[in-house]
Amino acid sequence: MAFVISCTAMKDTNKAISGKVESIESGKDGYTAKVITDTKEVYFATISIVNVGGPQNYKQVKIGDEVSLKGEIWKTDDEKHMKVQEIVSVK
């Protein structure tokens, strides 16, 4: 009997994180912000126009900004990533 493990089982959808932007790396369709939470967790949050629902919802954050983001979280062996689907706040 074969068992199939879905990749989606390792992803948490519609989760929220808040923290401070430590660095930004530009990409083809957006950018990835390294966000450090108050509990010192590090997330690599990928923000693109398509994933946030269009240009009206897209914002460019800066290093030092306090952000609150919602999206799909997944983990690799040593990193946590988020595909951002909503930019809740930028301060």
Side-chain angles (χ1 to χ4, degrees):
M1 190 178 256
F3 290 95
V4 178
I5 298 173
S6 171
C7 290
T8 57
M10 301 195 185
K11 296 180 181 179
D12 289 327
T13 57
N14 204 24
K15 298 292 180 181
I17 63 166
S18 295
K20 187 173 186 175
V21 177
E22 182 161 291
S23 65
I24 296 171
E25 187 173 322
S26 295
K28 187 174 85 172
D29 299 322
Y31 60 96
T32 298
K34 182 178 180 181
V35 178
I36 301 181
T37 68
D38 290 339
T39 58
K40 305 295 182 214
E41 291 181 288
V42 176
Y43 288 88
F44 293 92
T46 302
I47 302 171
S48 70
I49 294 171
V50 172
N51 290 337
V52 297
Q56 69 277 11
N57 300 321
Y58 182 81
K59 295 177 187 163
Q60 179 70 46
V61 302
K62 299 183 294 284
I63 294 171
D65 283 349
E66 291 287 336
V67 297
S68 183
L69 309 168
K70 284 186 180 178
E72 182 179 283
I73 293 174
W74 75 96
K75 299 173 186 175
T76 63
D77 289 338
D78 55 350
E79 295 179 342
K80 296 177 185 172
H81 295 265
M82 172 182 261
K83 178 175 82 173
V84 176
Q85 296 164 325
E86 181 182 352
I87 300 170
V88 178
S89 68
V90 178
K91 297 177 188 172

